Amino acid sequence: MFIGHYAPAFAAAALATGDEKGAVSTVGLGTMFIAAQLIDYAFFGFALAGIENMRISPGMSMMNPMDLYDIPYSHSLLGTFGFAFGFGLLVMLASGNRRAALAGALVVISHWFLDLLVHVPDLTLFGSEPKLGLGLWNHPLIEMPLELILCFGAFYWYLRATRPKPVNSQVRRAWLAPLVLALVLLAVQLYNWFGPQPESYGPSIAWTALVAFTILALLAHWAARQRTA
């Protein structure tokens, strides 16, 4: 799963619009986008450092050739809760907003459970056997529409929960920015599905993923700045 991970980020930002402390302005959509991919940020960082490992195994699943055979820290449920606690604590220290901190932590945790749906068995509870995964990557006719519905359904909810800032010069941008974000999300997902697959693992795979996550978070931050609760 790729852009499906952003569904909880949109949902958390939509729910945060009701916060009397202004969670949308202080801890916005860009931060929630980072939370949504924090586990994969950790994985690719660990892979670059040699702490965790993967390889390319064509046929590993119908939709993804990545063999994630050694991911005991980033993709264990215990590790996910650890990252969620740390992220929530950072948000709390930075913003003083307990609701936003809890929302960010829950978005981090959501990553593991969404991965559980699509991964072949490679996730763990505590870093060792048994390995878990329901394998929807082997069922693209289910996984593809599910991912799009999750992401863009939550995106629509976020748009319904916010509105363009009431400044005439920014109204056009307030609608343009979410449209750009939606188009880029769709483009990167289509490339992920239908673009050329790597033949072997190299650091460029990790760097490409990290850059893509960061660009999407920056676009989300830009889009959210044009809107208000």
Side-chain angles (χ1 to χ4, degrees), residues 137-199:
W137 275 337
N138 284 318
H139 303 278
L141 294 181
I142 299 174
E143 198 283 336
M144 288 181 174
L146 175 64
E147 187 145 16
L148 294 176
I149 290 169
L150 283 174
C151 179
F152 291 108
F155 196 177
Y156 177 71
W157 182 14
Y158 170 75
L159 292 177
R160 289 290 302 272
T162 59
R163 62 185 177 187
K165 287 183 176 178
V167 179
N168 290 335
S169 63
Q170 293 183 345
V171 169
R172 184 175 298 176
R173 190 189 310 168
W175 289 108
L176 176 63
L179 177 61
V180 170
L181 177 59
L183 291 175
V184 173
L185 284 167
L186 181 60
V188 296
Q189 184 61 75
L190 292 176
Y191 184 84
N192 178 261
W193 283 337
F194 304 115
Q197 297 294 332
E199 297 181 358

Side-chain angles (χ1 to χ4, degrees), residues 93-139:
L93 292 174
S95 69
N97 191 316
R98 287 179 293 180
R99 181 175 179 178
L102 177 60
L106 291 174
V107 171
V108 174
I109 292 169
S110 74
H111 187 107
W112 191 91
F113 288 96
L114 289 172
D115 273 355
L116 182 65
L117 295 176
V118 300
H119 278 225
V120 296
D122 53 28
L123 305 174
T124 64
L125 296 176
F126 306 108
S128 58
E129 301 284 352
K131 292 192 174 183
L132 309 172
L134 299 179
L136 285 185
W137 275 337
N138 284 318
H139 303 278

Side-chain angles (χ1 to χ4, degrees), residues 24-25 158 165 170 174 177 219-228:
V24 165
S25 60
Y158 170 75
K165 287 183 176 178
Q170 293 183 345
L219 284 174
H221 175 69
W222 173 57
R225 283 178 61 86
Q226 316 309 318
R227 305 186 66 82
T228 188

